[in-house]
Amino acid sequence: MVLPSMLLCDFANLAQEVKRLESAGFKALHLDVMDGVFVPNFSYGMTIINAFHQCTDLPLDVHLMMEGPENYIQQFHQAGADSITFHIEAVEDAVAVVQQIHELGMAAGVAIDRDTPVSAIAEVASQVDLILVMTIKAGFGGQSFIPELLEKLQAIRELAGEGPILQVDGGVNVGTISQCVEAGAEWMVVGSGVFKHDDYEEAHRQLLQPFCAEQG
Ligand code: DX5
Ligand code: ZN
């Protein structure tokens, strides 16, 4: 599954953007929250998440690039998040944060940034529904994919077993998506690889094309 990262969408026409993505066949939206502290960039918070929630029934996959995510889980839930992924680098007790997310009925994910070793998620890997492997340094859309990070994805698959969904985020596009899937990724987050196109359906089709061909 390809999830459009909404960081680069036209926020002045948000409802229209969401309708275009629905028509293009996307099945969930990826929403990046950045606090200017955990990453050197600001994006948006609950108000915009809630605006997306009002525009669509598509599941909202919320990626928190922020310090202290445990203090805001309830608010993101109320805003309309269906899954919440927090960064392992941003919390003291990841297992407790996962429990908090699960208690509110949401799917829980843990994200691992470019420079963080796989061992950092060893304890929480069996507790989460999703593991998000950054294929860039978190913080900005439009960066180049770092292929070396796919080895980490493979190591995480071995560590976590078949349970959690593996997600890749950063620099995923028509040129890099196949490597991600070969390495075991199941959900691919794509920002500029969707929004630089005028035709989102065509962008979606091109991204999925290698896998449709495989199925005959
Ligand atoms: C960056 C975000 C990504 C970003 C992806 O830290 O987590 O979701 O929007 O954008 P592209 O696909 O352009 O790298
Ligand atoms: Zn993201």
Side-chain angles (χ1 to χ4, degrees), residues 19-41:
K19 292 292 165 245
R20 289 178 62 200
L21 292 163
E22 287 176 348
S23 304
F26 291 102
K27 299 293 182 224
L29 305 179
H30 179 86
L31 305 181
D32 291 296
V33 175
M34 302 182 183
D35 68 350
V37 179
F38 179 72
V39 288
N41 193 13

Side-chain angles (χ1 to χ4, degrees), residues 110 121-129 131 156 159-160 164:
V110 67
I121 61 163
E123 193 192 355
V124 79
S126 62
Q127 316 281 312
V128 290
D129 307 290
I131 300 177
I156 289 171
L159 173 84

Side-chain angles (χ1 to χ4, degrees), residues 102-194:
H102 280 162
E103 277 164 18
L104 291 165
M106 296 178 287
V110 67
I112 180 164
D113 208 351
R114 182 190 65 188
D115 301 326
T116 306
V118 172
S119 57
I121 61 163
E123 193 192 355
V124 79
S126 62
Q127 316 281 312
V128 290
D129 307 290
L130 285 170
I131 300 177
L132 189 163
V133 181
M134 295 304 303
T135 36
I136 54 169
K137 173 83 180 149
F140 296 88
Q143 301 184 65
S144 296
F145 185 79
I146 305 170
E148 290 76 18
L149 294 174
L150 291 176
E151 284 168 29
K152 198 157 139 184
L153 189 100
Q154 287 166 327
I156 289 171
R157 175 53 86 205
E158 279 168 35
L159 173 84
E162 292 303 313
I165 292 166
L166 295 191
Q167 194 174 19
V168 282
D169 186 2
V172 182
N173 56 38
V174 284
T176 58
I177 194 166
S178 295
Q179 306 166 53
C180 297
V181 172
E182 275 162 28
E186 297 159 285
W187 285 11
M188 276 69 69
V189 176
V190 183
S192 34
V194 170

